[in-house]
Amino acid sequence: MEKKCSEFLNRYNISEEAYAAAGIAWDELEEVRDHYIQTRDELEPTARYIVNILNKTEKVHSVSYRIKAPEHLIAKIIRKRIGKPEGIINLANYRQKITDLIGIRVLHLFKEDWLDLHQFITRTWNLRKEPIAYVRRGDAAGYINSFKNWGCTIKEHPYGYRSVHYLLQSMISESAEPTVQVSEVQVRTLFEEAWSSIDHHVRYPYEPRNVLLNELLVILNRLSGSADEMASCILYLKEKINTPGMPSQDVNGQAGQGGGFFQPLDEFEWPAETGSGVMAWTDGNIGEGLPEPYLFPPADMADQEKGPGEEGPEKSEKPSSSAER
């Protein structure tokens, strides 16, 4: 048993000292693992049900899911106990304490799409607690306040990870005693997902000690943020160009009305009430004068609509593949 424990700790880069501080015996962990292996398939119907509902929403680009691997569950229990030794996690309560046994990832194209998804999720499911919006140091106050105004708790992530996490509560009635199953849903853009996947691949299961790798991941994070900003600019320009009565040009340079090919940026009249510029809310200085994101309008500005108070996923139909992270 000691050999198995030592090999496991080495594989997940957990020191013997840290494991000892966690105060949990290896045979207890094996008991949890064996029970989870026997009951893991019970989570599949709940995961698929949630995925099917989310797949039908308009702003969703793709939805994926995974059921947590048994080894990853044990590693997470140890790490949680290291950080909080008094927080008992055992066979009796691990399915309530570990909230990402079902992990679902929802991707959308534009940052502006988040609000529709947020409102749909909060209307459709009861949440265990307020959603958590992970932001990057340096994100503008207006960007962060957009999440606050829609009931999210803000957490600054040390590596620049951006995503909004929800803990959905679903009733499982097939079991002997109906129980509430918690599922973690992560919502982010395609560019945020690309960076997150690469960052996770490099860091997991332990943080790289190489300074160059860490610096390159920071640069990649900035590039992905800039890509999201550019996508928002493109979306804004498309809407402006397609506004009825706005002059435009076709590909031959002939003036037309609406739906045209291109106009120089300085010919647009950016609405002053939207803010100081898209680039104000993250890094960079291109795009000065473009409107600050109107993607998450505060509750009192969104047509009177009011908002509510780690592992690699297995892909669903939008698209489909499988991996464990």
Side-chain angles (χ1 to χ4, degrees), residues 59-64 104-110 113 117 163 186-194 197 313 315 318-319:
K59 298 294 185 178
V60 167
H61 173 272
S62 57
V63 183
S64 54
I104 297 171
R105 192 163 301 162
V106 181
L107 305 182
H108 52 94
L109 284 177
F110 303 99
D113 296 337
L117 296 176
S163 185
Q186 304 174 356
V187 178
R188 51 182 173 263
T189 69
L190 288 173
F191 290 115
E192 289 167 342
E193 167 66 6
S197 295
K315 302 290 184 179
K318 282 183 167 184

Side-chain angles (χ1 to χ4, degrees), residues 176-217:
E177 295 184 6
T179 57
V180 174
Q181 176 62 51
V182 177
S183 307
E184 182 183 88
V185 175
Q186 304 174 356
V187 178
R188 51 182 173 263
T189 69
L190 288 173
F191 290 115
E192 289 167 342
E193 167 66 6
W195 175 84
S196 175
S197 295
I198 293 171
D199 181 84
H200 182 87
H201 180 79
V202 173
R203 295 186 192 278
Y204 193 80
Y206 53 87
E207 188 176 337
R209 302 294 186 261
N210 187 286
V211 174
L212 178 59
L213 284 178
N214 282 316
E215 289 299 322
L216 290 174
L217 287 171

Side-chain angles (χ1 to χ4, degrees), residues 224-237:
S224 66
S226 296
D228 269 327
E229 294 162 11
M230 182 60 71
S232 290
C233 291
I234 291 171
L235 180 64
Y236 181 85
L237 288 172

